Every structure is written in structure tokens, then in C-alpha cells.
């Protein structure tokens, strides 16, 4: 199916939601530890999994519900709500999860109608347009080294987006989204070795719960 006015409108909505989510994510990343930002980001796949069942009619087997519940408990263990004050950065991450959940739902809808390359290309077109006014307000001319690192980031993000869209096309969201919990492993290691952010017992315990849930879902789906 080619591009229609309806599909272009959905792509525009997705671009706006994703641009806002990127903005709030960067704000939170500048304040919170990498592992904590990633942990709060796991509210997104939980929201997407539930929303996919409500709006897209995808079925959620009991084992998936239980596994996602365990993973969500792991996030709660990491965040320890009620034991510390809620900062603006935490609210920004809540906004990020909502915006990204909307973006992923639209990506799933469009992945069933157009090619993954089209889904990726439209996001690559609409998000810079949405981010341009905010970037212009705080513009600093990047150096050659900065441009090199930005190119690496863009290449990795585009490759990740393409493979994510391909996964959307091959499997329902209730299968693909819980696997993103594995990002906690990489985020925690980057925070430790690159930024010197210590790992506490709560992160280890919560991360173990999340990884266990992901492994269980993967094995059951393979069977």
C-alpha cells in the first residue's frame, strides 16, 4: 500500500510525538543516571503491550501478562518509589514513555501497510522537523569531532529503528516489546564504565527480575 493522506497524517503525528519524547528524554538524561533513565523507559513497553491489546486487538497470553508483571516489578525495585522525592526529570521520563508508546503503536500500524524502510524514512524526516525549533533556540555550532560522534549516534539509531520495525512486521507487539528490557544491561554497563555511575543492589535485583522475565518469554515463544 502506498502513501495516502491518512498515512501521511499518522506519520506526522508519530513524528511530533517522537520529537517531544526525544526532548524530554534528553532532559532526563542530563539529570538522572543512565540506568535510572533506562529503567523508567521500561514503562513504555508495558504501556505499549497493554495498548496493543486494547487498540489493536492483539491477544495477551497469561504467561506474557505474568512475565511483563514481573518485569514491571523489577522496574519498581530499581526506582524505589516513595523513598525519594519526585524530580522534574522523573516527570519528564513519564512524558517520554507516553510519547514513545504512541510512536511505537503508530509504527506497528504502518509496518503492516508499508515497508520498514518507509517507516524509518518518514520518522527520519518528521522528527528533525519537529526538533528544529528547539535546536535553534539553544544552537551551538558543533566541532568536527562532535559531528563525527553525532554521525555514529545517527547510524546506530537508524539501524536500531530499522531492525525494530522489521520485528514489528514479523511479530505482535506483545512479543517484541518485553525484549527491550534487555537494554538495562547495556545502560548499566555504560553508566558504570563510561560515566562512573555505581551499581547498587536494587539495580542488580530489579535487573535480574527483568532479564528473567525476558528469557522466559523468549523460550516460551520459541516453543
Amino acid at each position: 500500500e502506498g502513501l495516502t493522506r491518512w498515512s501521511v497524517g499518522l506519520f506526522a503525528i508519530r513524528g511530533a510525538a517522537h520529537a517531544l519524547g526525544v526532548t524530554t528524554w534528553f532532559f532526563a538524561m542530563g539529570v538522572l543516571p543512565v540506568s535510572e533513565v533506562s529503567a523508567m523507559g521500561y514503562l513504555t513497553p508495558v504501556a505499549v503491550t497493554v495498548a496493543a491489546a486494547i487498540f489493536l486487538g492483539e491477544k495477551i497470553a497469561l504467561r506474557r501478562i505474568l512475565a511483563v508483571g514481573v518485569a514491571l516489578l523489577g522496574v519498581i525495585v530499581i526506582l524505589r518509589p516513595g523513598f525519594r522525592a519526585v524530580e522534574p526529570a522523573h516527570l519528564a521520563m513519564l512524558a517520554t514513555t507516553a510519547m514513545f508508546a504512541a510512536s511505537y503503536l503508530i509504527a506497528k500500524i504502518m509496518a503492516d501497510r508499508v515497508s520498514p524502510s518507509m517507516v524509518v524514512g518518514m520518522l527520519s524526516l518528521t522528527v528533525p522537523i519537529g526538533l528544529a525549533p528547539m535546536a535553534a533556540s539553544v544552537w551551538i555550532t558543533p566541532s568536527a569531532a562532535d559531528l563525527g560522534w553525532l554521525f555514529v549516534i545517527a547510524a546506530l539509531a537508524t539501524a536500531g529503528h530499522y531492525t525494530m520495525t522489521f520485528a514489528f512486521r514479523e511479530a505482535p507487539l506483545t512479543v517484541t516489546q518485553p525484549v527491550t528490557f534487555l537494554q538495562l544491561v547495556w545502560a548499566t554497563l555504560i553508566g558504570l564504565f563510561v560515566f562512573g555511575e555505581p551499581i547498587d543492589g536494587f539495580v542488580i535485583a530489579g535487573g535480574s527480575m527483568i532479564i528473567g522475565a525476558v528469557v522466559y518469554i523468549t523460550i516460551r515463544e520459541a516453543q
Side-chain angles (χ1 to χ4, degrees):
E1 179 181 325
L3 284 177
T4 63
R5 181 176 299 180
W6 175 82
S7 61
V8 170
L10 273 185
F11 278 133
I13 294 173
R14 187 191 183 207
H18 211 94
L20 181 58
V22 168
T23 302
T24 52
W25 182 87
F26 271 109
F27 172 76
M29 183 62 77
V31 178
L32 302 174
V34 177
S35 58
E36 188 168 341
V37 170
S38 298
M40 293 194 68
Y42 293 134
L43 295 175
T44 297
V46 173
V48 170
T49 299
V50 175
I54 296 175
F55 298 107
L56 302 183
E58 293 189 359
K59 295 181 180 180
I60 305 181
L62 178 60
R63 61 178 178 269
R64 293 182 194 167
I65 296 176
L66 294 176
V68 170
V70 171
L72 182 57
L73 286 176
V75 174
I76 293 175
V77 169
I78 294 172
L79 294 182
R80 307 185 294 281
F83 292 92
R84 54 182 174 179
V86 177
E87 303 291 340
H90 294 110
L91 299 179
M93 274 306 300
L94 290 177
T96 298
T97 59
M99 293 299 101
F100 283 173
S103 175
Y104 293 153
L105 280 177
I106 295 175
K108 172 58 178 176
I109 294 172
M110 297 313 302
D112 293 335
R113 291 167 170 79
V114 300
S115 68
S117 297
M118 177 65 72
V119 176
V120 175
M122 290 301 292
L123 189 70
S124 300
L125 175 65
T126 55
V127 170
I129 294 175
L131 291 175
M134 289 175 280
S137 65
V138 293
W139 180 259
I140 297 176
T141 302
S143 65
D146 292 335
L147 288 175
W149 283 113
L150 289 172
F151 176 81
V152 171
I153 294 172
L156 291 174
T158 301
H161 187 202
Y162 182 84
T163 54
M164 179 193 73
T165 304
F166 183 79
F168 284 171
R169 195 181 186 110
E170 297 298 317
L173 285 174
T174 48
V175 175
T176 59
Q177 282 302 291
V179 179
T180 62
F181 290 133
L182 285 173
Q183 292 174 0
L184 179 61
V185 176
W186 322 129
T188 302
L189 292 176
I190 290 173
L192 175 64
F193 293 109
V194 178
F195 300 106
E197 298 171 353
I199 301 176
D200 60 27
F202 289 100
V203 173
I204 295 175
S208 299
M209 295 171 64
I210 292 170
I211 294 173
V214 172
V215 170
Y216 175 76
I217 289 177
T218 303
I219 293 176
R220 290 296 300 178
E221 291 303 327
Q223 292 175 346

